[in-house]
Structure formats: C-alpha cells, structure tokens
C-alpha cells in the first residue's frame, strides 16, 4: 500500500510574527522557516504505518519555491522513500494546492493521502478536504487515531463535542490533529541517507494546472493589542476587583 | 443577493452558534435563508424559522445526513448552494469539515474563520495564530465562508416567522460510514458560548486536580477549558482545548490557572473581555494580557478563591 504525504514550508512556530510596516503582509526576510507542525505529524504517521508493515511506500510532495526542497529532504530523513517538489514562486491558494495535489494523486495512485489539518501561517484548514472533494475520496479530518483495516481505514476525529470514529473506503484522505502522534527527530545517519533518496522536480505547468487565485489580500494588520492590567495582592483583592471594578461576577 | 446559512444543530435543537452566523450573514446583506440538514432535525428547523432576520428555512431530513458526514453534506450543499451568492457556516468542526468540500465542488475558494465583514466580497480573518489580521477580497461568483462566531453578536432567537420548506434529497456518497462517538456530557455551559470560562494548564499537574477548578466553575456558572499541554498530558479530554487549534472563546471573564500563555493559547482566548491569570511565575507571558494577575501557587489560591465565592 502506498501513502502520499503533503508537506508545507512555513514560518517556524516559535518565531514571533511581525507585520510589515506597509501592511502588505508578514515579514519573512531572514526568518527561520520549518515544516508545518501538522505536516510533521502527517509524515510521522506514514512512517509508523510503514514500520507496522501496513505501508510499503511513502511519497512526499511539497509545493513552493526551490528552498522547500529542505522540507522534502527532512521528510525523506524521517523515513519517506521518495520526494516531489512542485516548484513555483507564486502564491498558491488552497484550491490550487488541492488541484496540484489531485494531479499528483492521479499519477501516483496512493491508497491514502495524509496532510496536516491546517498550516500555521494561513490557518485555513481547507486543503485536505478540497483534495478529497476533487478526487471523490472520503475524508477523516482532525485525526487523533488512524487504523488501516483491509480496504478501509478507521479514523478517530477530534470534534467540538468529543471524538467520533468513521470508516472510510480507501483511497481516502486523512488530515492530522495534534494528538495523532509525537513526531521523531531525524538522526544524522538518516539525514545523510536522505540526500541520496530521489527528489523529483516538477511544476504547475508540467502538471497542466493553471494557478487561478481568486482571493486578493488587500492588507495585513496587527491585531488590537491588549494592555497588561494590574497585579492583585491576594484572592480577596481579586474578588473585589471582579465584583466592583470589572463587574463580571 | 441571497445567503445560505448552514445551521448548527444537535439532537433536534438549534445551537446558539447559528445565531452568530445569521448575524454575520445579515452584515453581508441580502436575503438570509437557513438550511437545516440532518436526521430528525425537524424541531431544529422550527426553531430556525423563529430566528430574527431569516426569510426562509430549508430542511433536509434524511438518514444519509444523520452523522453529518462531510461526503454527503457537501454534495447536498454544493447542489443547493449554486443558487446563492454566499454560503456561510460556523467555523466549528462540522463547518470546517464539510464546507471546504463544498467550495471545491463549486470550484471556488473558501474564506475561513472571518471576524469582520467589510463588504459583500471583502472580509477580515486572523492568520498566523491571530498575530495578524488579513483583509481579503474574493472575486468568486459564490463566496463560501466560515465564521468565527465569537466575533459576531448573536441575533435574537425569537421574533421571526419564516416559512419552512422541505428539501427532498438523499445524497449518499457511499464511501464513508459512522462507527462510534465519544461525546463528552456536561451540565456546564458550552465552552464557546459561555460568559465565564475557567481553564487549567500543565500547572494543574493531573486530572484529579481539575476538580478544584470544577468547584469554582460551578459557583460561577462557568464552562471549563484547558491548554493543549493539559489535554496532551491526558488531564482532561480534547474538547476542552482552547487555542489556535482548539476552540476560540471570548467570554466576559476568562480565568487561566497554571497556564503560561503561549501564543497558540492566546490565539483562542485573547478576545475575552476580562482575563484573570493565576500563575506562580511572575514572568509568565499570560500576565501580559491579563487584566488581573495573581502571582501565587495555585494550590493555595484556588481553594481560597473557591471558599471566598
Ligand atoms: C502547532 C501548534 C499548535 C498549538 N495549539 C495550541 C492550542 O490550541 N492551545 C494551547 O493551549 N496550546 C497550543 N499549543 C501549545 C503551546 O505552544 C504551549 O505548549 C501550551 O499552550 C502550554 O500549555 P500550558 O501553559 O498549560 O503549559 P506550560 O507552558 O508548561 O505552563 C504551565 C504554567 O503553569 C505554571 N505553574 C506550574 N505550577 C504552578 C503552581 N503550583 N501554581 C501556579 N502556577 C503554576 C507555570 O509557571 C507555567 O507558567 C500549540 C503548539 C503548536 C506547536
């Protein structure tokens, strides 16, 4: 069984985000970039399925500028077998990402596609669902447990009310939530080995996908900031403030 | 312009989130129609017909929609949605699950988690865990939108008298099935719409200690929340997580106990009116957003607070 994992290069989650003074976006010059945390979880899940003997091949794909090869290589070091980078310097919006991934799915014919549920830059939470719709696949979003069972995959999903488990006919799409697993770190020998693994370069044009962004970002602003308040001396003062000043209890 | 709102409902009752979504739809302008899709959801449709500002209610009541499977819902909503200028749902886990499918089937973008309506095609939404707010304009013929409910004041649940129309449809994609659910039961108010929230973090040390917070929550009529660290450690279930990847809350009062205040946590609660932090580390970042900070050991402060309330 074959798994396709999609990974995205994003700002490292520890970096303090700064809005550009001209309000055109977020300042990414000289900022540390990394694999989106949810994508790391997706790669880890695929590797665990391979270690269990359920999966025989892991193909990892990313879309972005040439430097996104780093994130594909990292995935290879974590245990993926083969990489694909769809190279473009354009901004690729979620629907176009899904169309590009659909083209890869048609070529690779995976039984399972695993993606992160959202990327921590655009916070859209859309791509996996869009890919599933375009390919007619069922989806298990916000997964906290994935169990392959014959030609089905059972996915336990984190929902607002608790947990729900669905059974999906494969091929299927899974998007990862935080508690699916704890990703490992790549070891030095595996980082060396990853350099020799195949990494195919392709482009939207090669895949016959025309990028058609329909959303325009007019401006990006700082959120309204909260002022730090006061420190209270003890519980009695806290209750007094909540009752008589804030009037919230 | 006409807007299709997909209702949030559960066990036959309309959820409060629908009132916030209708409010966002009214801000867009135009006729607001509500679709109630599910199984045995007739009484939720009746309730939707009474909501202020709703001109029509469509109800698709069928076993195929019983477990809100995204594969089936999206086929129905993409079909019906073709006749509207906007399709809008709350950014809860159901909306996040099926609505991007609808957008893809209609070959349009989805605008996720809007917090303001600038005009019929321009919206504000948080990006980078709320560290930036983007204003985005859509050129699509149909705008597919999820709404951050805490950003819109609810419309009145009563006062309307819309007609209820039945949609005869059973769209079954046939490739997914419901297996089981573990739904947390609680007598407390729902986290995302509560006026007071009491949350605990890693500082609580274990699940047993959360009982201390329950006492306070009960006295205040509050909902209970948690940080990701507390959920990951297994102290409390996942449905309590507040933050970038958990629930977004904006109560009148948010009490954070033993929570450091990581940006991913702040993303979920910094819209609260009044924030109280109880933490033994006076350098904890939570104090930078707290209106009232108490530097104290929670194992002393929480029982004191409980006794004093
Ligand atoms: C992609 C991604 C998404 C994330 N999403 C979320 C999210 O949605 N929500 C979320 O919350 N986090 C999220 N996180 C995790 C986040 O970065 C933090 O790790 C987490 O919020 C920390 O939780 P905490 O404050 O409970 O724990 P800690 O940071 O460990 O803080 C514990 C606090 O308790 C205090 N404390 C300890 N003992 C006591 C005592 N006896 N009395 C008083 N105070 C005490 C300490 O001083 C400390 O400040 C995410 C992270 C990533 C990478």
């Amino acid at each position: 069984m074959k798994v396709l994992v999609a990974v995205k290069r994003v700002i490292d989650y520890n970096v303090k985000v700064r809005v550009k003074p001209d309000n055109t976006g977020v300042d990414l010059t000289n900022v540390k970039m990394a694999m989106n945390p949810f994508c790391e979880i997706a790669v880890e899940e695929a590797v665990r399925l391979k270690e269990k003997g359920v999966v025989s091949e892991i193909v990892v794909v990313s879309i972005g500028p040439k430097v996104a090869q780093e994130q594909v290589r990292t995935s290879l070091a974590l245990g993926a077998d083969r990489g694909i980078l769809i190279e473009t310097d354009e901004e690729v919006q979620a629907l176009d990402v899904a169309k590009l991934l659909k083209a890869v799915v048609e070529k690779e014919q995976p039984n399972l596609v695993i993606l992160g549920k959202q990327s921590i830059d655009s916070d859209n939470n859309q791509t996996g669902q869009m890919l599933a719709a375009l390919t007619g696949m069922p989806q298990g979003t916000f997964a906290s447990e994935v169990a392959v069972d014959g030609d089905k995959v059972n996915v336990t999903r984190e929902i607002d009310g608790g947990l729900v488990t669905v059974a999906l006919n494969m091929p299927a799409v899974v998007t990862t939530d935080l508690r699916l697993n704890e990703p490992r770190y790549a070891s030095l020998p595996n980082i060396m080995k990853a350099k020799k693994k195949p990494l195919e370069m392709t482009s939207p044009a090669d895949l016959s996908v025309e990028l058609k962004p329909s959303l325009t970002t007019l401006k990006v602003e700082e959120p309204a900031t909260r002022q730090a308040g006061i420190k209270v001396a003890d519980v009695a003062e806290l209750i007094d403030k909540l009752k008589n000043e804030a009037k919230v209890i | 312009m006409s807007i299709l709102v997909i209702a949030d409902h559960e066990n036959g009752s309309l959820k409060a989130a629908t009132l916030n979504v209708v409010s966002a739809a009214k801000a867009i302008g135009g006729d607001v129609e509500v679709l109630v899709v599910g199984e045995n959801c007739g009484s939720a449709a009746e309730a939707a017909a009474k909501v202020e500002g709703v001109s029509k209610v469509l109800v698709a009541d069928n076993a195929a929609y019983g477990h809100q499977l995204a594969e089936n819902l999206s086929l129905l909503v993409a079909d019906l949605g073709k006749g509207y200028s906007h399709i809008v749902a709350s950014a809860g886990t159901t909306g996040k699950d099926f609505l991007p499918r609808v957008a893809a089937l209609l070959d349009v973008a989805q605008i996720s988690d809007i917090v303001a309506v600038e005009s019929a095609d321009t919206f504000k939404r948080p990006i980078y865990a709320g560290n930036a707010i983007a204003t985005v304009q859509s050129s699509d013929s149909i705008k597919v939108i999820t709404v951050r409910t805490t950003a819109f004041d609810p419309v009145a649940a009563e006062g309307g008298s819309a007609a209820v129309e039945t949609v005869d449809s059973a769209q079954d994609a046939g490739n997914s099935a419901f297996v089981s659910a573990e739904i947390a039961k609680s007598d407390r108010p729902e986290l995302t719409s509560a006026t007071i929230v009491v949350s605990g973090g890693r500082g609580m040390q274990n699940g047993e200690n959360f009982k201390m917070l329950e006492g306070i929550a009960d006295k205040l009529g509050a909902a209970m929340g948690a940080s990701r660290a507390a959920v990951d450690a297994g102290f409390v279930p996942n449905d309590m997580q507040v933050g970038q990847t958990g629930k977004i809350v904006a109560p009148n009062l948010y009490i954070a106990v033993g929570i450091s205040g990581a940006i991913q946590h702040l993303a979920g609660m910094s819209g609260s009116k009044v924030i109280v932090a109880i933490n033994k580390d006076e350098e904890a970042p939570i104090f930078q957003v707290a209106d009232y900070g108490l530097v104290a050991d929670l194992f002393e402060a929480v029982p004191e607070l409980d006794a004093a309330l």
Side-chain angles (χ1 to χ4, degrees), chain A residues 38 99 117 121-124 126 129 136-137 139 141 160-163 165-167 169 178-179 214-216 218-219 221 223 226 229-232 239 245, chain B residues 71 93 96-97 101 107 110 112 124-125 128-131 133 135 137 139-140 175 177 179-180 182 184 232 241 244-245 247 270 272-273 289-293:
Chain A
F38 291 97
K99 287 179 181 174
K117 75 166 180 179
D121 50 0
S122 53
D123 279 336
N124 276 320
Q126 303 175 351
Q129 298 88 316
M137 286 193 247
Q139 67 189 38
T141 52
D160 289 339
L163 296 171
T165 303
V166 289
N169 296 353
L178 293 167
R179 278 166 286 275
S214 64
L215 301 178
T216 312
L218 302 180
K219 67 178 173 213
E221 298 160 290
R226 287 187 82 97
I230 58 159
K231 295 257 168 67
V232 292
I239 291 184
E245 191 175 84
Chain B
E71 295 76 16
T93 47
K96 283 178 186 167
D97 188 37
R101 278 189 91 105
D107 198 29
Q110 174 179 293
S112 295
K124 288 194 180 200
R125 58 178 302 266
Y128 292 91
N131 285 298
I133 306 292
T135 304
Q137 185 172 35
S139 61
D140 285 318
N175 52 12
V179 177
S180 62
E182 266 175 66
D232 283 3
Q241 182 178 317
Q244 179 187 19
T245 52
K247 288 180 181 160
S270 57
S272 306
K273 206 167 130 223
V289 299
D291 299 280
Y292 303 111

Coordinates of all heavy atoms in Angstrom, one line a residue, chain A residues 38 99 117 121-124 126 129 136-137 139 141 160-163 165-167 169 178-179 214-216 218-219 221 223 226 229-232 239 245, chain B residues 71 93 96-97 101 107 110 112 124-125 128-131 133 135 137 139-140 175 177 179-180 182 184 232 241 244-245 247 270 272-273 289-293:
Chain A
F38 N 1.8 20.3 11.8 CA 0.8 19.3 11.4 C 1.3 18.4 10.3 O 0.9 17.2 10.3 CB -0.5 20.0 11.1 CG -1.2 20.6 12.2 CD1 -1.1 22.0 12.4 CD2 -1.9 19.9 13.1 CE1 -1.7 22.6 13.5 CE2 -2.6 20.5 14.2 CZ -2.4 21.9 14.4
K99 N -5.7 21.3 -6.4 CA -5.7 20.8 -7.8 C -4.4 20.3 -8.2 O -4.3 19.3 -8.9 CB -6.0 22.0 -8.7 CG -7.5 22.4 -8.6 CD -7.9 23.6 -9.5 CE -9.4 23.9 -9.4 NZ -9.7 25.2 -10.1
K117 N -3.9 19.2 9.3 CA -5.2 19.8 9.2 C -5.2 21.3 8.8 O -6.1 21.8 8.3 CB -6.0 19.6 10.5 CG -5.6 20.4 11.7 CD -6.7 20.4 12.8 CE -6.3 21.3 13.9 NZ -7.3 21.3 15.0
D121 N 0.5 29.3 9.1 CA 0.6 30.6 8.6 C -0.7 31.1 8.1 O -1.3 32.1 8.6 CB 1.7 30.7 7.4 CG 1.5 29.6 6.4 OD1 0.6 28.8 6.5 OD2 2.3 29.6 5.4
S122 N -1.4 30.4 7.2 CA -2.7 30.9 6.7 C -3.8 30.4 7.5 O -4.9 31.0 7.4 CB -2.9 30.5 5.2 OG -2.7 29.1 5.1
D123 N -3.6 29.4 8.4 CA -4.7 28.9 9.3 C -6.0 28.6 8.5 O -7.1 28.9 9.1 CB -4.9 29.9 10.4 CG -3.9 29.8 11.5 OD1 -3.3 28.7 11.7 OD2 -3.7 30.7 12.3
N124 N -5.9 28.1 7.3 CA -7.1 27.9 6.5 C -7.9 26.6 6.9 O -9.2 26.7 6.9 CB -6.8 27.8 5.0 CG -6.7 29.2 4.4 OD1 -7.5 30.1 4.7 ND2 -5.8 29.4 3.5
Q126 N -8.3 23.8 5.0 CA -9.1 23.5 3.8 C -8.6 22.5 2.9 O -9.3 21.8 2.2 CB -9.2 24.8 2.9 CG -9.8 26.0 3.6 CD -9.7 27.2 2.7 OE1 -9.1 27.2 1.7 NE2 -10.4 28.3 3.2
Q129 N -9.6 18.7 2.7 CA -11.0 18.5 2.3 C -11.2 18.8 0.9 O -12.0 18.1 0.2 CB -11.9 19.4 3.2 CG -11.8 19.2 4.7 CD -10.7 20.0 5.4 OE1 -9.6 20.0 4.9 NE2 -11.0 20.6 6.5
G136 N -13.0 12.8 -5.3 CA -14.1 12.0 -4.9 C -13.8 11.0 -3.7 O -14.5 10.0 -3.5
M137 N -12.7 11.3 -3.0 CA -12.3 10.4 -1.9 C -13.1 10.8 -0.6 O -13.4 12.0 -0.4 CB -10.8 10.6 -1.6 CG -9.9 9.9 -2.6 SD -8.2 9.8 -2.0 CE -7.3 10.9 -3.1
Q139 N -13.0 11.5 3.6 CA -12.0 12.2 4.4 C -12.2 11.9 5.8 O -13.3 11.8 6.3 CB -12.1 13.7 4.1 CG -13.4 14.3 4.6 CD -13.6 15.7 4.2 OE1 -13.2 16.1 3.0 NE2 -14.1 16.6 5.1
T141 N -10.9 14.0 8.8 CA -10.2 15.2 9.2 C -10.0 15.3 10.7 O -10.7 14.6 11.5 CB -11.0 16.5 8.8 OG1 -12.4 16.3 9.3 CG2 -11.1 16.6 7.3
D160 N -15.8 19.1 18.1 CA -16.1 20.0 19.2 C -16.7 19.3 20.4 O -16.5 19.7 21.5 CB -17.1 21.1 18.7 CG -16.4 22.1 17.8 OD1 -15.2 22.2 17.8 OD2 -17.1 22.8 17.0
G161 N -17.5 18.3 20.2 CA -18.2 17.6 21.3 C -17.4 16.5 21.9 O -17.8 16.0 22.9
G162 N -16.3 16.1 21.3 CA -15.5 15.0 21.8 C -14.8 14.3 20.7 O -14.0 14.9 20.0
L163 N -15.1 13.0 20.5 CA -14.4 12.2 19.5 C -15.4 11.4 18.7 O -16.5 11.0 19.2 CB -13.5 11.2 20.1 CG -12.3 11.7 20.9 CD1 -11.6 10.6 21.7 CD2 -11.3 12.4 20.0
T165 N -15.6 8.3 15.4 CA -14.8 7.4 14.6 C -15.6 7.2 13.3 O -16.8 6.8 13.4 CB -14.5 6.1 15.3 OG1 -13.8 6.5 16.5 CG2 -13.6 5.2 14.4
V166 N -14.9 7.3 12.2 CA -15.6 7.0 10.9 C -14.8 5.9 10.2 O -13.6 5.8 10.4 CB -15.7 8.2 10.0 CG1 -16.7 9.2 10.5 CG2 -14.3 8.9 9.8
A167 N -15.5 5.1 9.3 CA -14.8 4.1 8.5 C -14.8 4.6 7.1 O -15.9 4.9 6.5 CB -15.5 2.8 8.6
N169 N -13.7 4.1 2.9 CA -13.2 3.2 1.9 C -12.0 3.9 1.3 O -11.9 5.1 1.1 CB -14.2 3.1 0.7 CG -15.5 2.5 1.2 OD1 -15.6 2.0 2.3 ND2 -16.5 2.4 0.3
L178 N -3.2 17.4 16.5 CA -2.0 17.4 17.3 C -1.7 16.1 18.0 O -0.6 15.7 18.3 CB -2.1 18.5 18.3 CG -2.0 19.9 17.7 CD1 -2.4 20.9 18.8 CD2 -0.6 20.2 17.1
R179 N -2.8 15.4 18.4 CA -2.6 14.2 19.3 C -2.5 12.9 18.5 O -2.5 11.8 19.2 CB -3.7 14.2 20.4 CG -3.4 15.1 21.5 CD -4.6 15.4 22.4 NE -5.5 16.3 21.8 CZ -5.4 17.6 21.8 NH1 -4.4 18.2 22.4 NH2 -6.3 18.3 21.2
S214 N -8.3 33.4 -6.5 CA -9.5 34.3 -6.6 C -9.6 35.2 -5.3 O -10.5 36.0 -5.2 CB -10.7 33.4 -6.7 OG -10.9 32.6 -5.5
L215 N -8.6 35.0 -4.4 CA -8.6 35.9 -3.2 C -7.5 36.8 -3.3 O -6.3 36.5 -3.6 CB -8.5 35.0 -1.9 CG -9.6 34.0 -1.7 CD1 -9.3 33.2 -0.4 CD2 -11.0 34.6 -1.6
T216 N -7.7 38.1 -3.0 CA -6.7 39.1 -3.0 C -6.6 39.6 -1.6 O -7.6 40.0 -1.0 CB -7.1 40.3 -3.9 OG1 -7.5 39.8 -5.2 CG2 -5.9 41.2 -4.2
L218 N -5.9 42.5 0.6 CA -5.9 43.9 0.5 C -4.9 44.6 1.5 O -4.2 45.5 1.2 CB -7.3 44.5 0.6 CG -8.3 44.0 -0.4 CD1 -9.7 44.7 -0.1 CD2 -7.9 44.3 -1.8
K219 N -4.9 44.0 2.7 CA -4.0 44.5 3.7 C -3.8 43.5 4.8 O -4.7 42.6 5.0 CB -4.3 45.9 4.2 CG -5.6 46.0 5.0 CD -5.8 47.4 5.5 CE -7.1 47.4 6.2 NZ -7.9 48.6 6.1
E221 N -2.8 43.6 9.0 CA -2.6 44.5 10.1 C -2.3 43.7 11.4 O -2.5 42.5 11.5 CB -3.9 45.2 10.4 CG -4.5 46.1 9.3 CD -5.9 46.4 9.5 OE1 -6.8 45.5 9.3 OE2 -6.3 47.5 9.8
P223 N -3.1 42.8 15.1 CA -4.4 42.7 15.8 C -4.4 43.8 16.9 O -3.3 44.3 17.3 CB -4.3 41.3 16.4 CG -2.9 40.9 16.5 CD -2.2 41.7 15.4
R226 N -3.8 43.9 23.6 CA -4.3 44.1 25.0 C -3.3 44.7 25.8 O -2.1 44.5 25.6 CB -4.6 42.7 25.6 CG -5.9 42.0 25.1 CD -6.1 40.8 25.9 NE -6.8 41.2 27.1 CZ -8.2 41.0 27.2 NH1 -8.9 40.6 26.2 NH2 -8.7 41.4 28.4
G229 N -2.8 44.4 32.5 CA -3.5 45.0 33.6 C -2.7 45.2 34.8 O -1.5 45.6 34.8
I230 N -3.3 44.9 36.0 CA -2.6 45.1 37.2 C -2.4 43.7 37.9 O -3.0 42.7 37.6 CB -3.4 46.0 38.2 CG1 -4.8 45.4 38.4 CG2 -3.5 47.4 37.6 CD1 -5.4 45.9 39.7
K231 N -1.4 43.7 38.9 CA -1.3 42.5 39.7 C -2.0 42.8 41.0 O -1.9 43.9 41.6 CB 0.2 42.3 40.0 CG 1.1 42.0 38.8 CD 1.4 40.5 38.7 CE 2.0 40.1 37.3 NZ 3.3 40.6 37.1
V232 N -2.8 41.8 41.4 CA -3.5 41.9 42.7 C -2.7 41.2 43.7 O -1.9 40.3 43.4 CB -4.9 41.3 42.6 CG1 -5.8 42.1 41.7 CG2 -4.9 39.9 42.1
I239 N -11.2 39.2 44.0 CA -12.7 39.1 44.1 C -13.3 40.5 44.1 O -14.3 40.7 43.4 CB -13.1 38.2 45.2 CG1 -12.7 36.7 44.9 CG2 -14.6 38.3 45.5 CD1 -13.2 35.7 45.9
E245 N -15.0 46.4 40.2 CA -14.4 47.2 39.1 C -14.8 46.6 37.7 O -15.4 47.3 36.9 CB -12.9 47.1 39.3 CG -12.1 48.1 38.4 CD -10.6 48.1 38.7 OE1 -10.0 47.2 38.1 OE2 -10.2 48.9 39.5
Chain B
E71 N -18.9 13.9 3.3 CA -19.0 13.4 1.9 C -20.4 13.7 1.5 O -20.7 14.1 0.3 CB -18.7 11.9 1.8 CG -17.2 11.6 2.2 CD -16.9 11.6 3.7 OE1 -17.9 11.6 4.5 OE2 -15.7 11.7 4.0
T93 N -16.2 22.4 14.2 CA -15.6 21.2 13.5 C -16.4 20.7 12.4 O -15.9 20.0 11.5 CB -15.1 20.1 14.5 OG1 -16.2 19.8 15.4 CG2 -13.9 20.5 15.3
K96 N -15.9 23.3 9.4 CA -14.5 23.1 8.9 C -14.4 21.8 8.1 O -13.5 21.7 7.2 CB -13.5 23.0 10.1 CG -13.2 24.4 10.7 CD -12.3 24.1 11.9 CE -12.0 25.3 12.7 NZ -11.3 24.9 14.0
D97 N -15.2 20.8 8.4 CA -15.1 19.5 7.8 C -15.7 19.5 6.4 O -15.1 19.1 5.4 CB -15.7 18.5 8.7 CG -15.5 17.1 8.3 OD1 -14.4 16.7 7.8 OD2 -16.4 16.2 8.4
R101 N -15.1 21.2 1.2 CA -15.5 20.3 0.1 C -16.5 20.9 -0.8 O -16.5 20.8 -2.0 CB -16.2 19.0 0.7 CG -15.2 17.9 1.1 CD -16.0 16.6 1.5 NE -16.1 15.7 0.4 CZ -15.4 14.6 0.2 NH1 -14.5 14.2 1.2 NH2 -15.5 13.8 -0.8
D107 N -15.8 24.9 -7.3 CA -14.6 25.5 -7.9 C -14.4 26.9 -7.5 O -14.1 27.8 -8.3 CB -14.7 25.4 -9.5 CG -13.3 25.6 -10.1 OD1 -12.3 25.3 -9.4 OD2 -13.2 26.1 -11.2
Q110 N -12.5 29.0 -0.3 CA -13.3 29.2 0.9 C -12.5 30.3 1.7 O -11.3 30.3 1.8 CB -13.3 28.0 1.7 CG -13.9 28.2 3.1 CD -14.0 27.0 4.0 OE1 -14.8 26.1 3.7 NE2 -13.2 26.9 5.1
S112 N -11.9 31.3 5.3 CA -12.1 30.6 6.6 C -12.1 31.6 7.8 O -11.3 32.6 7.8 CB -10.9 29.7 6.9 OG -10.9 28.6 5.9
K124 N -12.5 40.2 6.9 CA -11.2 40.2 7.7 C -11.1 38.8 8.4 O -12.2 38.3 8.8 CB -11.3 41.2 8.8 CG -11.1 42.6 8.3 CD -10.7 43.6 9.4 CE -10.6 45.0 8.7 NZ -9.9 45.9 9.5
R125 N -9.9 38.3 8.4 CA -9.7 37.0 9.1 C -8.3 36.9 9.7 O -7.4 37.5 9.2 CB -9.9 35.8 8.1 CG -9.0 35.9 6.9 CD -9.2 34.7 6.0 NE -9.0 33.4 6.7 CZ -7.9 32.8 6.8 NH1 -6.8 33.2 6.1 NH2 -7.7 31.7 7.5
Y128 N -1.7 33.5 11.0 CA -0.6 33.3 11.9 C -1.1 33.3 13.4 O -0.6 34.1 14.2 CB 0.5 34.4 11.7 CG 1.2 34.3 10.4 CD1 0.7 35.0 9.3 CD2 2.3 33.6 10.3 CE1 1.3 34.9 8.1 CE2 3.0 33.5 9.1 CZ 2.5 34.2 8.0 OH 3.1 34.1 6.7
A129 N -2.0 32.4 13.7 CA -2.5 32.3 15.1 C -3.0 33.6 15.7 O -2.8 33.8 16.9 CB -1.4 31.6 16.0
G130 N -3.6 34.4 14.8 CA -4.1 35.7 15.3 C -3.1 36.8 15.5 O -3.4 37.8 16.0
N131 N -1.9 36.5 15.1 CA -0.8 37.5 15.2 C -0.9 38.6 14.1 O -0.2 39.6 14.1 CB 0.6 36.9 15.2 CG 0.8 36.3 16.6 OD1 0.8 37.0 17.6 ND2 1.0 35.0 16.6
I133 N -4.0 40.2 11.1 CA -5.4 40.2 10.6 C -5.3 40.6 9.1 O -4.9 41.7 8.8 CB -6.3 41.2 11.4 CG1 -6.3 41.0 12.9 CG2 -7.7 41.1 10.8 CD1 -6.9 39.7 13.4
T135 N -7.1 41.4 5.5 CA -8.4 41.8 4.8 C -8.3 41.2 3.4 O -7.4 41.5 2.6 CB -8.5 43.3 4.7 OG1 -8.4 43.8 6.0 CG2 -9.8 43.7 4.1
Q137 N -10.3 40.0 -0.3 CA -11.4 40.2 -1.2 C -11.5 39.0 -2.2 O -10.5 38.5 -2.7 CB -11.1 41.5 -2.0 CG -12.2 41.9 -2.9 CD -12.0 43.3 -3.6 OE1 -10.8 43.6 -3.9 NE2 -13.0 44.0 -3.8
S139 N -13.1 37.3 -5.7 CA -13.7 37.5 -7.0 C -14.5 36.4 -7.4 O -15.0 36.3 -8.6 CB -12.5 37.8 -8.0 OG -11.7 36.6 -8.1
D140 N -14.8 35.4 -6.5 CA -15.6 34.3 -6.9 C -17.1 34.6 -7.0 O -17.5 35.5 -6.3 CB -15.5 33.1 -5.9 CG -14.1 32.4 -6.0 OD1 -13.7 32.1 -7.1 OD2 -13.5 32.1 -4.9
N175 N -19.1 6.2 0.5 CA -17.7 5.8 0.7 C -17.2 6.1 2.1 O -16.1 5.9 2.5 CB -16.8 6.5 -0.3 CG -17.0 8.0 -0.3 OD1 -17.6 8.6 0.6 ND2 -16.4 8.7 -1.3
A177 N -18.6 5.8 6.5 CA -19.7 5.4 7.5 C -19.3 5.8 8.9 O -18.1 5.8 9.2 CB -19.9 3.9 7.4
V179 N -18.9 5.1 12.7 CA -18.7 3.9 13.5 C -19.1 4.1 15.0 O -19.9 3.4 15.5 CB -17.2 3.5 13.5 CG1 -16.9 2.3 14.4 CG2 -16.8 3.2 12.0
S180 N -18.6 5.2 15.6 CA -18.9 5.4 17.0 C -18.6 6.8 17.4 O -17.8 7.5 16.7 CB -18.1 4.4 17.9 OG -16.7 4.6 17.8
E182 N -17.7 9.4 21.0 CA -17.5 9.5 22.5 C -17.8 11.0 22.7 O -16.9 11.8 22.5 CB -16.1 9.3 22.9 CG -15.7 7.9 23.3 CD -14.2 7.8 23.6 OE1 -13.7 8.4 24.5 OE2 -13.6 7.1 22.8
A184 N -18.5 14.1 25.1 CA -18.4 14.5 26.5 C -19.8 15.0 27.0 O -20.4 15.8 26.3 CB -17.4 15.6 26.6
D232 N -2.9 17.2 26.2 CA -1.9 16.2 25.7 C -1.4 15.3 26.9 O -1.2 14.1 26.6 CB -0.6 17.0 25.2 CG -0.8 17.5 23.8 OD1 -2.0 17.4 23.3 OD2 0.1 18.1 23.2
Q241 N -9.9 21.9 24.8 CA -8.7 22.7 24.4 C -9.1 24.0 23.8 O -9.9 24.1 22.9 CB -7.8 21.9 23.4 CG -6.6 22.7 23.0 CD -5.7 22.0 22.1 OE1 -5.5 20.8 22.2 NE2 -5.2 22.7 21.1
Q244 N -5.3 28.2 19.2 CA -5.2 28.2 17.7 C -5.8 27.0 17.1 O -6.5 27.1 16.1 CB -3.7 28.3 17.3 CG -3.5 28.4 15.8 CD -2.0 28.3 15.4 OE1 -1.2 27.9 16.2 NE2 -1.7 28.7 14.2
T245 N -5.6 25.9 17.7 CA -6.0 24.6 17.1 C -7.1 24.0 17.9 O -7.5 22.8 17.7 CB -4.9 23.7 16.9 OG1 -4.2 23.5 18.1 CG2 -3.9 24.2 15.8
K247 N -10.5 25.4 20.6 CA -11.7 26.3 20.5 C -11.4 27.7 20.7 O -10.4 28.1 21.4 CB -12.8 25.9 21.5 CG -13.4 24.5 21.1 CD -14.5 24.1 22.0 CE -15.0 22.7 21.4 NZ -15.6 21.9 22.5
S270 N -7.7 35.6 23.7 CA -7.4 37.0 23.9 C -8.5 37.9 23.6 O -8.4 39.1 23.9 CB -6.1 37.3 23.2 OG -6.2 37.1 21.8
S272 N -11.3 37.7 25.0 CA -12.1 37.7 26.3 C -12.2 39.1 26.8 O -11.2 39.9 26.7 CB -11.6 36.8 27.3 OG -11.4 35.5 26.8
K273 N -13.3 39.5 27.5 CA -13.4 40.8 28.0 C -12.5 41.1 29.1 O -11.7 42.0 29.1 CB -14.9 41.1 28.4 CG -15.3 42.6 28.3 CD -16.8 42.7 28.4 CE -17.1 43.8 29.5 NZ -18.2 43.4 30.4
V289 N -1.3 39.8 29.1 CA -2.7 40.0 28.5 C -3.7 40.0 29.6 O -4.9 40.3 29.4 CB -3.1 38.9 27.5 CG1 -2.1 39.0 26.3 CG2 -3.1 37.5 28.1
A290 N -3.3 39.7 30.9 CA -4.3 39.6 32.0 C -4.6 41.0 32.5 O -3.8 41.8 32.7 CB -3.7 38.7 33.1
D291 N -5.9 41.2 32.7 CA -6.4 42.4 33.4 C -6.0 42.4 34.9 O -5.7 43.4 35.5 CB -7.9 42.6 33.2 CG -8.2 42.7 31.7 OD1 -8.1 43.8 31.2 OD2 -8.6 41.6 31.1
Y292 N -6.2 41.2 35.5 CA -5.9 41.0 36.9 C -5.0 39.8 37.0 O -5.4 38.6 36.6 CB -7.2 40.8 37.7 CG -8.1 41.9 37.5 CD1 -9.3 41.8 36.9 CD2 -7.8 43.2 38.1 CE1 -10.2 42.8 36.7 CE2 -8.7 44.3 37.9 CZ -9.9 44.1 37.2 OH -10.7 45.1 37.1
G293 N -3.8 40.0 37.5 CA -2.9 38.9 37.6 C -2.6 38.6 39.1 O -2.5 39.5 39.9

